[in-house]
Amino acid sequence: MLKIVCVILMAVCFIPMEGAHAASFKDVSKDNTLITEIDYLVEKGIINGYPNDLFKPNAYVTRAQVAVMLTRALGLQTTNVKDPKYQDVPTTHPYYKEIAAVQNAGIFDSATKFNPNATLSRGDMAIVLQRAFKLKGSESYFTDVSAKTRGYKEISAISSNNITRGYDDGSFKPNLPLTRAHFSAFLARTLTLSNPNLLKDTAYDYTYSYYSLTDKNHYTLKYQYSHNDDKNDVWTVTNLSSKKLFNDELLFSDGEFYGQANDAESSTHYDLYLGLPLRIGVILHEDEGGVITGVRNTVKATDGTVQAGGVNYNNVIVLEETSVYSDGVWTYYFVDGIGLVKELYNDVVIFELLDRTAN
């Protein structure tokens, strides 16, 4: 009877719920730092909620649930699967096909048992995600992870791809079991990994419409590449109406970080500074230390769409920035190889790319 109840409960969590959305779950607050990732998986139909509008974010995810989510996320074939011959996963098991599919794909090991109802540790999460998505990355450092740790290379791979940063004390906690919310976050981040070139193309001149929140005036600005100062691309900004110069724009990227700044005398840091590669979710939290505190940066999409200057752009990086010091929301839209195409403050368009011409 206990086994039957467990199977029913597992099945319920994968029953599609009409109009399911993370914000509609009673137990997922709109302030939850993982809501973007949970939203993404729910909207893609990769994970669903429970009856009574519950998601159960703090419940431990099981190995069977992970198999189902990975099968859906990767679009694995579930017909004519080869029997992995797990003693605890007979062909009558409700998720036999999905478990067989992930084993056939080399994501889970061949073994005597699969332990479908067991939890998945953070270390095992790194292993299955690295195998599923063929992630590559450089060595990373956690206080509780060494070359002797099971999954050391895989943990390094997910860390260097910004899928996880570990804990504030420098640890990774590889043996800690994962909750539904945390596995959802790691999977959604992996699915949305993007390493775009956010710099403006120096072979072009850029023309933007600009609305100043300071003087409430509209301007048409021309950005022309000037030089590289041994770190930043320096762009000269001209008001086309008055022919007066605005402050230069400084853009920096080394493949691991992107930064942009207004070259004013009082400027001592980048106004926007992002770690690469990007993935959806919070990438800078207001409680973190650094030059700018109180700011939260959230990547809302890496495959978004936007219209700017009459052009429809796809595969857009959509970034939101909020601050504890104001109620305003800045939204940036970047396109790979082009750079910023649009910027909003709340619902007001601040920058919009009008034209690019070869220089």
Side-chain angles (χ1 to χ4, degrees), residues 10 35 61 150 190 252 258 344:
M10 283 176 57
I35 193 169
V61 70
R150 181 175 181 274
T190 308
F252 164 79
Y258 167 82
L344 305 181

Side-chain angles (χ1 to χ4, degrees), residues 34 43 94 101 162-163 169 173 204 210 219 221 246 248 253 277 280 291 293 303:
L34 304 180
E43 290 168 1
N162 294 334
I163 296 168
D169 61 1
K173 304 187 189 307
Y204 289 83
Y210 167 61
Y219 300 91
L221 305 181
F246 278 55
D248 289 345
S253 182
I280 64 168
V291 175
T293 57
D303 59 352

Side-chain angles (χ1 to χ4, degrees), residues 6 19 53 56 68 108 137 168 212 257:
C6 289
D53 297 327
K56 300 188 179 180
V68 173
F108 282 90
D168 292 340
S212 171
F257 294 94

Side-chain angles (χ1 to χ4, degrees), residues 27-162:
D27 52 358
V28 180
S29 164
K30 66 178 182 179
D31 297 323
N32 190 308
T33 56
L34 304 180
I35 193 169
T36 301
E37 294 96 317
I38 294 172
D39 265 344
Y40 179 84
L41 292 191
V42 171
E43 290 168 1
K44 295 292 184 182
I46 294 171
I47 191 170
N48 304 293
Y50 290 84
N52 300 320
D53 297 327
L54 297 177
F55 183 75
K56 300 188 179 180
N58 298 320
Y60 290 135
V61 70
T62 69
R63 289 165 59 86
Q65 291 171 353
V66 168
V68 173
M69 283 188 275
L70 288 175
T71 297
R72 292 174 177 171
L74 296 169
L76 296 179
Q77 181 59 254
T78 56
T79 58
N80 300 319
V81 291
K82 182 181 178 181
D83 188 353
K85 299 188 183 303
Y86 292 125
Q87 292 180 359
D88 51 0
V89 185
T91 57
T92 55
H93 191 282
Y95 302 114
Y96 163 78
K97 291 183 178 180
E98 289 85 353
I99 292 171
V102 293
Q103 189 276 336
N104 292 176
I107 299 172
F108 282 90
D109 293 327
S110 298
T112 303
K113 293 184 177 182
F114 181 75
N115 300 313
N117 296 323
T119 58
L120 190 79
S121 70
R122 287 169 56 86
D124 284 339
M125 171 274 297
I127 292 172
V128 298
L129 289 183
Q130 190 281 326
R131 290 177 180 176
F133 296 94
K134 307 296 188 291
L135 298 174
K136 296 181 179 179
S138 57
E139 185 177 16
S140 59
Y141 301 94
F142 294 105
T143 57
D144 55 352
V145 176
S146 71
K148 296 181 179 179
T149 303
R150 181 175 181 274
Y152 168 71
K153 291 183 179 179
E154 292 85 351
I155 292 170
S156 293
I158 68 165
S159 173
S160 59
N161 280 285
N162 294 334

